[in-house]
Amino acid sequence: MSQENKKTFYITTPIYYPSGKFHIGTAYTTIVSDVIARYKRGRGFDVRFLTGMDEHGQKIEEKAIEAGKPPKVFVDEMAKMAKDLWKLLDITYDDFIQTTEERHELLMAKIFAKFVENGDIYKGEYEGWRCIPCETYYTEAQLVEGMCPDCNRAVKLIKEESYFFNMKKYADRLIQYYSDHPQFILPEFRKNEMMNNFLKPGLEDLSVSRMTFDWGVKVPNDPKHVIYVWVDALTNYITALGYGSDDEALFNRYWPADVQVVGKDIIRFHTIYWPIFLMALDLPLPKTVFAHGFFTVNGEKMSKSKGNVLCPEMLAKKYGVDAVRYTLLRELPFGQDGDVSPVAFVKRVNFDLANDLGNLLNRTVSMVNKYFDGVVPRYNGHVTEFDAELENFIVSTVEKVEANFERMHFSALLADIWALVSRTNKYIDETSPWILAKDEADREKLASVMTHLVESLRQIAILIEPFMPQTTPQVFAQLGITEEASKTWASLNQYETLTEEIKVVEKGTPIFPRLEVDEEIAYIKAQMGSVESSKEEEIKEVEEVPTIGIEDFMKIELKVGQIKACKQHPKADRLLVSQVDIGSETRQIVSGIAEHYKPEQLIGKKIVVVTNLKPVKLRGELSEGMVLAASAEGKLSLPEMIDDLPNGSIVK
Ligand code: MSP
């Protein structure tokens, strides 16, 4: 089929914040999108796959300053890091957009001007609570116990002139759209969340410009205002296609998007703001916005101070890209939250990949060599009593896989493919080729078994390609399959595609080496925590007080300490760095008390210290313990009346 006649398929990932190394959770969105893009290409679609970076806003400007670099230099370096990771993970994006590129900035400003021109954006005054990390403003009522409702961090009261987007105007239309298009938000429960939490209570107009910083696209004809990052970011999906430019060919070809994959944390932006912006531009809405769940590691959110950050780069370099792609897609039922751990990873590699798939390939290659000098016998229909059943199993697997692809049930779909792997291994046991080989009269049966094994593996290799793009060519190579027509999705369920004689390799090599379980788990654990966590996460870590029972309390070592020296943390306003004498030694302790005490007030003071807390680095400073302090309603005090006790005294 010529490119012109192909059905198009446009898929996007969210564009990433340039905030440091990616962990497996952040890489997941892009891996999933790549799986879908590869599958659709395999099914004959003209696919366009977009990803990129979301590079404006105060948070990013601050990070660049912290790194001592001009913002553009900083974001370009981060974009390069992202591209390197995507290359390593074999991500086949067609376009990578950075919101600081001219092609985006110009069109973005034009879109904003169009909103103003059409009367969708008006100028007013904004007063509200701002969460800097989330780049979001909230009304008092939206705060949860005075904190950001999304990330639970502190918010700041801001009053400023601002442009507003008239969201209310489109609310009813959007509600109607949701009910007319059941595929618009998937999984469906996310739609209910959006309806009940945001649309039904009534939409507020959205403040879409900022005056507090400079790093962004300026409002046309009013450059003291910078366009709100979410307006800037969301429009990337159409500016990347040249919408509003002199050449709208890509836009006309690919818009509306078929699937926009997002994490559950940003669904509101993609299913409320984004469709409303599109309605205001009089453009069709994406067919589906799919929100996936979040990964935890051993049940916990990933963060450096917890030492539980799983880094896709490290895993891919050590165990192979396909092991990472397979494990992530298999472990997390798409749409729900899920967990992955070093143990689960090593088990998946050993059992599913090395044992089930790897052994099947290895046994097949060595039997074809042993019984037929490496030449795969030609297909001859159903010869043994087990052939038809295996073929039927393949037919039903292909059906299930295709259906699950449409539903985006990747974990279930991989389980279906692995059921075929097991079924094929069972076929070897059922047909017992080593017994057939003993009797010349069974030669035809033996030939049929070899053909069916090779065929089953050929089809498995095609089915896994979207997930494991580096394994598929290895399987073909070991089986000696070179004909392109035998490698396509269209060749599934066909048994006579191998028109030329094929010869398996003389000696198969394991596609996935078996791992020493304990050794590899220890290795992965040692590597965890190597990703920089954000400033806010680290501070939050200091502030978090877990609930514990008395038996746990007894495990905590509390001692009287005396602050010998104290200074402001060089990189964090809220932190102080103290040298504390705890009797047996002097420890450096970082604490979030700078808003309440000046360093000079603390020198000489006796305090209570948790001394057996795992050391952490807070914004680059080692902290070997924690200072106890009481706080309420914004006030904070250190415990008093311990001045006459010697340093190192136990506190109970
Ligand atoms: N810049 C915005 C997106 C703007 S799109 C117009 C953003 N960037 S992000 O870098 O914070 O997140 C990128 C993707 O990673 C999002 O889809 C987010 O949901 C996803 N994830 C971040 N942590 C994750 C997990 N722990 N697990 C799964 N996905 C995770 O949001």
Side-chain angles (χ1 to χ4, degrees):
M1 206 187 295
S2 82
Q3 188 75 359
E4 286 313 306
N5 300 328
K6 279 184 172 179
K7 253 188 104 181
T8 59
F9 189 86
Y10 184 36
I11 177 163
T12 67
T13 73
I15 47 173
Y16 284 79
Y17 291 128
S19 49
K21 279 196 171 181
F22 291 174
H23 55 60
I24 47 150
T26 38
Y28 177 72
T29 311
T30 303
I31 296 177
V32 167
S33 306
D34 186 60
V35 168
I36 301 171
R38 284 174 181 272
Y39 172 69
K40 287 289 171 181
R41 282 192 206 107
R43 301 304 311 268
F45 284 75
D46 162 14
V47 173
R48 187 153 187 98
F49 171 17
L50 172 73
T51 189
M53 302 294 279
D54 182 359
E55 300 178 327
H56 286 129
Q58 186 168 12
K59 193 171 55 174
I60 291 151
E61 193 177 25
E62 281 171 6
K63 279 194 178 284
I65 292 168
E66 254 176 43
K69 293 177 182 160
K72 182 61 181 155
V73 172
F74 174 76
V75 297
D76 282 348
E77 279 176 14
M78 290 291 174
K80 175 159 184 326
M81 194 177 86
K83 282 183 180 169
D84 288 346
L85 178 64
W86 300 149
K87 191 167 177 204
L88 174 73
L89 296 176
D90 224 339
I91 304 295
T92 53
Y93 59 81
D94 297 289
D95 191 6
F96 185 101
I97 189 160
Q98 296 178 246
T99 52
T100 58
E101 280 176 80
E102 202 182 36
R103 64 164 169 157
H104 171 77
E105 291 188 347
L106 289 178
L107 299 178
M108 201 297 95
K110 257 180 136 176
I111 290 172
F112 194 94
K114 198 164 179 181
F115 288 147
V116 177
E117 205 181 292
N118 293 347
D120 288 309
I121 283 182
Y122 61 91
K123 205 170 185 178
E125 191 170 66
Y126 182 81
E127 186 178 320
W129 297 90
R130 172 150 203 256
C131 176
I132 295 181
C134 295
E135 309 267 14
T136 308
Y137 285 73
Y138 299 98
T139 59
E140 181 106 41
Q142 287 173 317
L143 302 180
V144 177
E145 292 176 5
M147 306 298 249
C148 169
D150 283 335
C151 72
N152 198 28
R153 293 175 194 150
V155 285
K156 261 189 187 168
L157 185 63
I158 308 265
K159 190 172 181 177
E160 64 185 25
E161 181 186 280
S162 175
Y163 285 87
F164 287 86
F165 194 102
N166 189 347
M167 291 281 161
K168 292 189 196 93
K169 183 172 150 190
Y170 294 95
D172 289 344
R173 228 172 112 185
L174 187 60
I175 292 174
Q176 189 59 43
Y177 192 88
Y178 277 16
S179 79
D180 293 345
H181 298 83
Q183 298 293 308
F184 177 57
I185 305 179
L186 292 177
E188 202 181 338
F189 69 91
R190 299 279 177 209
K191 175 171 83 186
N192 304 336
E193 274 173 23
M194 292 301 115
M195 282 294 285
N196 298 336
N197 299 347
F198 300 101
L199 287 171
K200 281 192 186 151
L203 286 183
E204 296 288 326
D205 283 354
L206 178 72
S207 159
V208 289
S209 70
R210 305 287 181 258
M211 297 177 79
T212 40
F213 61 94
D214 217 32
W215 181 239
V217 180
K218 304 276 183 296
V219 168
N221 305 320
D222 199 353
K224 57 184 188 303
H225 290 270
V226 165
I227 297 173
Y228 173 44
V229 280
W230 272 101
V231 180
D232 178 356
L234 287 162
T235 53
N236 92 89
Y237 301 128
I238 52 176
T239 60
L241 295 176
Y243 170 74
S245 72
D246 295 340
D247 179 3
E248 289 194 324
L250 284 175
F251 179 75
N252 293 333
R253 187 176 183 82
Y254 292 106
W255 193 259
D258 293 85
V259 185
Q260 300 209 264
V261 181
V262 301
K264 64 174 185 178
D265 55 329
I266 52 176
I267 179 107
R268 177 162 58 99
F269 300 96
H270 283 82
T271 58
I272 296 182
Y273 300 167
W274 180 223
I276 288 182
F277 297 157
L278 289 166
M279 283 176 177
L281 293 170
D282 211 11
L283 293 176
L285 271 45
K287 291 175 201 158
T288 295
V289 174
F290 195 108
H292 65 71
F294 261 40
F295 263 114
T296 50
V297 171
N298 290 324
E300 289 196 308
K301 188 173 170 236
M302 277 172 271
S303 93
K304 190 189 168 197
S305 34
K306 281 187 193 139
N308 68 347
V309 177
L310 265 177
C311 172
E313 202 175 348
M314 173 276 288
L315 291 174
K317 282 186 176 155
K318 176 108 166 111
Y319 305 104
V321 171
D322 287 2
V324 178
R325 293 175 60 119
Y326 173 79
T327 309
L328 294 188
L329 274 280
R330 181 83 199 246
E331 288 292 305
L332 189 123
F334 196 45
Q336 293 163 37
D337 291 337
D339 194 62
V340 68
S341 62
V343 180
F345 181 80
V346 173
K347 279 190 173 167
R348 285 283 175 210
V349 176
N350 267 359
F351 295 130
D352 300 6
L353 305 183
N355 247 9
D356 297 349
L357 180 61
N359 275 351
L360 176 62
L361 178 65
N362 225 269
R363 290 165 89 189
T364 302
V365 167
S366 74
M367 286 192 290
V368 175
N369 273 314
K370 188 166 173 196
Y371 303 133
F372 292 91
D373 288 332
V375 178
V376 179
R378 283 288 153 82
Y379 179 75
N380 201 15
H382 304 160
V383 179
T384 84
E385 57 184 307
F386 304 103
D387 296 355
E389 201 191 313
L390 181 63
E391 286 182 24
N392 289 338
F393 202 96
I394 298 178
V395 174
S396 70
T397 303
V398 173
E399 266 168 23
K400 280 193 225 165
V401 168
E402 289 178 353
N404 274 332
F405 250 118
E406 292 314 313
R407 293 187 210 116
M408 294 194 256
H409 287 180
F410 303 114
S411 170
L413 176 172
L414 285 171
D416 293 335
I417 302 175
W418 254 257
L420 173 59
V421 173
S422 302
R423 181 67 193 82
T424 312
N425 271 318
K426 188 174 153 210
Y427 172 83
I428 302 182
D429 299 334
E430 286 169 342
T431 53
S432 309
W434 48 92
I435 297 174
L436 296 176
K438 287 188 181 145
D439 193 340
E440 197 50 37
D442 286 333
R443 192 77 186 151
E444 206 193 331
K445 282 189 180 168
L446 186 63
S448 188
V449 172
M450 295 305 113
T451 315
H452 276 86
L453 289 178
V454 170
E455 265 303 333
S456 197
L457 273 164
R458 179 181 75 81
Q459 308 208 29
I460 289 165
I462 296 168
L463 292 171
I464 61 173
E465 192 278 339
F467 301 89
M468 306 174 70
Q470 304 192 347
T471 304
T472 299
Q474 289 184 53
V475 176
F476 288 145
Q478 295 209 22
L479 296 177
I481 296 173
T482 51
E483 283 178 61
E484 287 310 311
S486 310
K487 297 177 179 173
T488 62
W489 200 275
S491 73
L492 289 171
N493 290 327
Q494 295 179 23
Y495 292 86
E496 286 166 272
T497 60
L498 301 169
T499 53
E500 284 165 23
E501 182 179 278
I502 65 164
K503 202 165 185 310
V504 300
V505 289
E506 266 171 37
K507 192 155 174 32
T509 41
I511 42 174
F512 290 97
R514 253 191 97 72
L515 306 177
E516 277 303 323
V517 177
D518 292 341
E519 210 173 278
E520 298 307 329
I521 291 173
Y523 174 83
I524 299 172
K525 282 190 178 157
Q527 301 298 311
M528 282 157 74
S530 63
V531 176
E532 286 295 319
S533 64
S534 71
K535 167 165 91 185
E536 294 75 28
E537 239 174 2
E538 285 166 347
I539 292 171
K540 203 166 153 217
E541 225 44 60
V542 181
E543 290 172 345
E544 260 173 14
V545 182
T547 309
I548 53 166
I550 185 71
E551 66 291 351
D552 285 325
F553 177 73
M554 297 312 285
K555 291 184 204 151
I556 302 172
E557 190 181 64
L558 297 169
K559 285 186 181 173
V560 171
Q562 186 171 31
I563 300 183
K564 294 291 182 186
C566 181
K567 61 171 189 179
Q568 178 68 48
H569 191 296
K571 289 194 206 145
D573 295 347
R574 298 172 65 191
L575 301 182
L576 293 182
V577 184
S578 311
Q579 304 303 322
V580 183
D581 176 355
I582 54 163
S584 50
E585 61 185 299
T586 297
R587 296 253 188 105
Q588 173 164 299
I589 299 179
V590 180
S591 29
I593 57 175
E595 283 165 15
H596 308 276
Y597 291 96
K598 301 223 167 327
E600 54 276 21
Q601 280 177 284
L602 292 176
I603 294 170
K605 230 183 179 9
K606 297 229 176 182
I607 49 168
V608 178
V609 181
V610 185
T611 48
N612 60 343
L613 203 62
K614 197 171 134 204
V616 283
K617 265 203 170 169
L618 294 169
R619 311 272 292 122
E621 293 285 345
L622 183 68
S623 186
E624 297 176 279
M626 190 169 88
V627 172
L628 289 195
S631 67
E633 293 168 357
K635 286 193 201 138
L636 179 142
S637 283
L638 297 168
E640 302 267 347
M641 317 245 300
I642 48 173
D643 278 356
D644 50 351
L645 287 171
N647 300 344
S649 305
I650 297 287
V651 180
K652 281 198 272 195

